[in-house]
Amino acid sequence: MVWAKGVLTAGVVVYYFIPEVLAIVVPGYALGWAYRLPPAGSTGWTLNYSGGGLWGGNAFIDGLSLIGPYMGSVIPLAIIATTADLMCLVGAFNAGDPYPIGETLIADGCGTLIGAFLGSPFGTVVYFGHPIHKRIGGKVRANDVAEGIL
């Protein structure tokens, strides 16, 4: 959550939360629409995809030449993901579990890259509920391991 500050007409200051997703997606969507990026924003654009989830070999290398127009989205999202990981590590540190920052970020990035090479559109993330999970006596159990594998 992101703190926001609003001032009412009577000079009363009000603080409220804005979900991080809205603080990130809404300006990005508005700017993308204003600049007509990506091409999906143009009229008549259709997706022509004949693939079906099979391993494409080195198709990800062939696609690197097409990434240029999307760097305006990729770099800010990478910065946000790294910042979110750091916030999770700070939460874990405050709960009494100091995890190594470098190792955590490298493992998160490697997991995301492996998933991307295998066709996953989702990146891996550091668990953000660590302090609460610890406070209620949470331990690593079979369902946690199963969620990690899936």
Side-chain angles (χ1 to χ4, degrees), residues 47-129:
L47 176 64
N48 297 318
Y49 177 69
S50 60
L54 297 176
W55 170 250
N58 63 350
F60 66 92
I61 294 174
D62 298 335
L64 289 177
S65 63
L66 305 173
I67 198 170
Y70 302 101
M71 291 306 286
S73 298
V74 170
I75 292 174
L77 287 174
I79 292 170
I80 290 166
T82 304
T83 304
D85 286 351
L86 291 173
M87 288 190 304
C88 294
L89 288 171
V90 168
F93 180 83
N94 291 338
D97 295 325
Y99 292 106
I101 295 172
E103 183 180 332
T104 303
L105 294 176
I106 289 171
D108 186 32
C110 288
T112 299
L113 286 174
I114 291 168
F117 291 156
L118 296 174
S120 174
F122 306 108
T124 58
V125 294
V126 176
Y127 180 61
F128 64 90

